[in-house]
Amino acid sequence: MRNLLYIDGAFVEPILGDFLPVIDPATEECFAKAAAGTEADVAAAVAAARRAFDHGPWPRMPAAGRAAILRQVARAIRDDLEPLAWLEMRDNGKPLEEARMDISDAAYCFDYYADMAEQAEAEGDAVQDVGDDRFHCRIRKEPLGVVGAITPWNFPLLMAAWKVAPALAAGCCVVLKPSELCPLTCGELARYLHQAGLPAGVFNLVTGLGQAAGVALSAHPGVDKLAFTGSEATGKLVMQAAARDIRNVSLELGGKSPFIVFADCDLDKAVEWIQFGVFWNQGQICSATSRLLVERPIYEALLERLKTAAQQLVIGPGERDGVQMGPIVSAAQKRRVMEGIEQGKACGACLVTGGGTPANRTRGYFVQPTVFADVPLDSWIWREEVFGPVLAVRPFDSEEEAIAEANDSRFGLAGAVMSADLERCDRVAGALRAGVVWINCSQPTFTQLPWGGYKASGIGRELGRHGYDAYLEVKQITRFDFDSHWNWYRTARPANP
């Protein structure tokens, strides 16, 4: 299997002719190749998107026309749900059932923004009363332009849909650069958009290494907006590139999200949500609630239950029935996770369970679900994102202490609180400095709701109406009423200089 680039309405080989291996993280075997796009390919893609936006029909098309294409893409994704899920599983390593959920969510995202495009057009311009009847003022929203979208490997098709669907719905043109680790389902997305009749240049796909294609896309002056999801370090570079030309940017970056558990909670339910919050997708989730704060009266009991539950998780290749955790996405990412675990061992934290590779997994990038207790507040494992199945736990004695420790982070993507006292939950949720807060759960995500973080976790929001508006410019249109106020204009207007 060879994935090509998609530029200006055609599937093409990269200009330099190079391809990258695509590795199955469960077997460590190469099962496909993806085009290694470079600066020249990015330049061709941006030029195509620029022509399509500046001179093509897409930004000027009635919303119903754009929506029809997006709905056709949603249908194609659903029709191919099973082969797409298998492809995502082999590319990323996640369990097959999780991949099915991701693919289904991606299809819904295209339907949702098709509806939103029609809704926004029906709303029309907003009329603004400025307190002066001589002037009629409207606020209009228009497509922003050419979007450079750079997406991660942890939810390959879904994260692409979060950017591509609203951008296209708003009338923008897109150059998508997915992670080189998991590019294959984005290649299928290009095929669906092509088959749906999307005009040439409106969507372009350039796969390749970040330091080649990603850097070139970030730096290209023909891009009006950069939309990036990934690490904090790379996000800073994207922001610096956007600043050089003062271009629009949105960043969805990392996190070290807290989960506060009070003593009045149901322990079994707490364990279930704690595990889901940090071990889902092998812990490779930017919003993973990987800092656990437990009220002291239940601290030891909860740790014991967490240990037992973590040791019972079924680890293996994603296609096997009952598998709850697959492999880490790559050899390099597994090394980073293991380095984080070593940091936890070195800081004096207590290793409750895990910390290594499952004994029965001789191939593949597997890591045991790992729990550290009594983790020092100033330790690397408490403050930095591991992006793997690693949980850091501390006790607390008061609500105020828990909130202070939860907020003591440069990140602010998400947070969670669990208690039978819903008033307390609401109070804590209001006090957490995070863009997403869950009460008595962790990680549910809905296309209808805004997604994004405070502080170093990013800039802007995806999903919901906020995610659509992120691809629009706001224009003020003010008209003077000559017919009614001509005499005022002649006497009150300033003299010519």
Side-chain angles (χ1 to χ4, degrees):
M1 178 179 183
R2 289 204 321 165
N3 255 35
L4 299 176
L5 308 178
Y6 182 70
I7 297 174
D8 204 14
F11 291 93
V12 297
E13 297 216 357
I15 290 173
L16 296 183
D18 292 335
F19 284 77
L20 300 172
V22 180
I23 306 299
D24 183 336
T27 65
E28 304 182 38
E29 296 173 351
C30 174
F31 72 100
K33 292 185 180 296
T38 59
E39 184 176 359
D41 301 294
V42 168
V46 173
R50 189 80 263 163
R51 287 192 299 272
F53 184 80
D54 293 340
H55 307 293
W58 188 253
R60 300 153 191 87
M61 185 183 294
R66 296 197 301 271
I69 288 178
L70 295 186
R71 292 191 181 108
Q72 190 169 332
V73 171
R75 286 194 296 272
I77 292 172
R78 289 193 182 95
D79 289 345
D80 280 355
L81 191 148
E82 196 64 14
L84 281 172
W86 275 84
L87 190 60
E88 200 83 299
M89 177 199 69
R90 291 203 71 190
D91 208 0
N92 171 273
K94 64 179 62 193
L96 182 58
E97 188 54 38
E98 291 184 25
R100 291 184 179 119
M101 295 170 65
D102 293 352
I103 301 304
S104 179
D105 286 349
Y108 178 77
C109 191
F110 278 92
D111 273 336
Y112 176 80
Y113 283 109
D115 292 344
M116 184 157 291
E118 293 179 327
Q119 175 189 334
E121 184 175 83
E123 292 170 358
D125 294 351
V127 177
Q128 180 65 53
D129 182 0
V130 295
D132 187 334
D133 63 4
R134 294 167 301 189
F135 298 92
H136 299 269
C137 303
R138 292 173 290 148
I139 299 170
R140 175 173 296 174
K141 294 182 178 179
E142 299 178 341
L144 194 152
V146 173
V147 175
I150 302 174
T151 53
W153 46 259
N154 54 340
F155 295 91
L157 183 61
L158 183 57
M159 293 294 98
W162 280 21
K163 290 175 171 52
V164 173
L168 294 182
C172 294
C173 297
V174 178
V175 179
L176 172 65
K177 192 280 173 192
S179 168
E180 60 267 29
L181 294 179
C182 299
L184 299 183
T185 50
C186 288
E188 295 303 292
L189 175 60
R191 182 166 62 86
Y192 300 140
L193 287 163
H194 181 80
Q195 292 171 347
L198 193 71
V202 173
F203 173 82
N204 305 270
L205 173 70
V206 181
T207 55
L209 296 173
Q211 59 265 37
V215 169
L217 183 58
S218 298
H220 200 294
V223 173
D224 298 302
K225 175 186 174 72
L226 290 168
F228 172 80
T229 297
S231 70
E232 179 191 8
T234 305
K236 290 178 180 179
L237 297 176
V238 171
M239 192 172 182
Q240 289 169 5
R244 284 195 288 270
D245 297 307
I246 314 181
R247 289 175 290 151
N248 192 302
V249 63
S250 60
L251 305 173
E252 203 274 272
L253 307 178
K256 191 69 177 180
S257 301
F259 196 151
I260 300 172
V261 176
F262 287 94
D264 62 351
C265 74
D266 181 300
L267 286 183
D268 290 333
K269 292 177 181 176
V271 168
E272 182 177 341
W273 281 113
I274 290 164
Q275 287 202 112
F276 191 84
V278 73
F279 298 145
W280 176 262
N281 202 38
Q282 297 67 252
Q284 299 167 141
I285 310 174
C286 55
S287 59
T289 38
S290 56
R291 286 188 296 143
L292 179 63
L293 291 154
V294 182
E295 196 167 15
R296 199 174 296 275
I298 62 167
Y299 185 67
E300 296 299 335
L302 185 59
L303 278 176
E304 190 59 37
R305 294 196 189 202
L306 274 174
K307 176 180 178 180
T308 300
Q311 291 174 346
Q312 291 174 347
L313 288 174
V314 180
I315 305 171
E319 72 271 16
R320 294 189 182 177
D321 289 341
V323 164
Q324 295 165 292
M325 277 184 56
I328 300 298
V329 71
S330 69
Q333 183 61 23
K334 179 182 177 180
R335 284 195 298 272
R336 283 190 283 269
V337 173
M338 296 308 298
E339 287 167 2
I341 290 172
E342 291 306 311
Q343 292 267 11
K345 294 175 181 178
C347 75
C350 173
L351 179 61
V352 175
T353 188
T357 299
N360 61 342
R361 294 291 155 211
T362 58
R363 286 196 310 166
Y365 311 126
F366 294 93
V367 174
Q368 293 173 317
T370 300
V371 179
F372 284 100
D374 305 328
V375 180
L377 283 172
D378 61 352
S379 63
W380 189 96
I381 199 78
W382 183 259
R383 306 197 71 83
E384 299 299 330
E385 185 176 38
V386 179
F387 222 68
V390 181
L391 179 65
V393 192
R394 284 182 56 82
F396 70 88
D397 295 300
S398 69
E399 180 180 318
E400 294 72 21
E401 178 189 2
I403 292 170
E405 292 188 2
N407 285 336
D408 182 20
S409 171
R410 72 178 187 279
F411 297 110
L413 181 53
V417 55
M418 179 165 277
S419 171
D421 183 344
L422 294 184
E423 288 188 6
R424 175 162 59 188
C425 287
D426 283 338
R427 191 167 59 243
V428 172
L432 289 176
R433 296 283 296 161
V436 180
V437 179
W438 297 294
I439 293 176
N440 290 334
C441 59
S442 180
Q443 305 307 317
T445 304
F446 301 96
T447 306
Q448 301 92 333
L449 299 179
W451 180 270
Y454 292 12
K455 301 187 278 188
S457 287
I459 297 172
R461 293 295 181 270
E462 296 190 294
L463 300 184
R465 184 61 183 258
H466 293 79
Y468 179 77
D469 287 345
Y471 295 97
L472 297 170
E473 287 282 19
V474 179
K475 176 184 287 185
Q476 173 209 138
I477 301 176
T478 297
R479 174 173 59 85
F480 176 68
D481 190 343
F482 272 110
D483 293 338
S484 301
H485 301 286
W486 174 245
N487 289 333
W488 171 88
Y489 172 74
R490 293 184 65 191
T491 58
R493 65 187 174 93
N496 290 332

